[in-house]
């Protein structure tokens, strides 16, 4: 069994499907679940062994403007 972590982020509603698409391309990096579609809050569940890669991707998506805000879960 893998140990997992979660991160909650807020995106523009139009970017939820884009975020899912990006994560599908990174096999095993994380699972994107929509917590609140109106507020565009999503939760990414990820294996702790992939945390460094996840952090780099989150940072890049934040610079790109896809991610508006991230919060620790």
């Amino acid at each position: 069994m893998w140990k997992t972590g979660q991160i909650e982020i807020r995106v523009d509603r139009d970017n939820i499907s884009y975020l899912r698409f990006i994560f599908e391309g990174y096999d095993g990096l994380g699972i994107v679940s929509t917590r609140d579609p109106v507020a565009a809050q999503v939760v990414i569940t990820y294996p702790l062994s992939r945390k460094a890669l996840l952090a780099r991707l989150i940072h890049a998506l934040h610079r790109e403007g896809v991610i508006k805000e991230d919060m620790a879960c």
Side-chain angles (χ1 to χ4, degrees):
M1 179 100 38
W2 289 351
K3 292 185 179 185
T4 61
Q6 288 187 329
I7 184 169
E8 183 175 329
I9 60 174
R10 190 173 58 80
V11 298
D12 284 331
R13 286 176 43 188
D14 296 339
N15 286 331
I16 294 174
S17 60
Y18 175 69
L19 187 67
R20 286 182 192 274
F21 176 77
I22 293 297
F23 271 82
E24 284 177 8
Y26 283 86
D27 224 11
L29 181 58
I31 299 169
V32 177
S33 303
T34 305
R35 177 165 286 171
D36 183 344
V38 175
Q41 291 178 337
V42 300
V43 174
I44 300 169
T45 304
Y46 62 93
L48 291 178
S49 63
R50 309 287 306 262
K51 187 174 183 175
L53 177 59
L54 175 74
R56 290 193 304 268
L57 179 60
I58 295 285
H59 184 70
L61 290 170
H62 200 287
R63 278 194 327 252
E64 189 179 315
V66 174
I67 294 176
K68 298 298 178 197
E69 178 180 6
D70 58 47
M71 303 150 267
C73 248

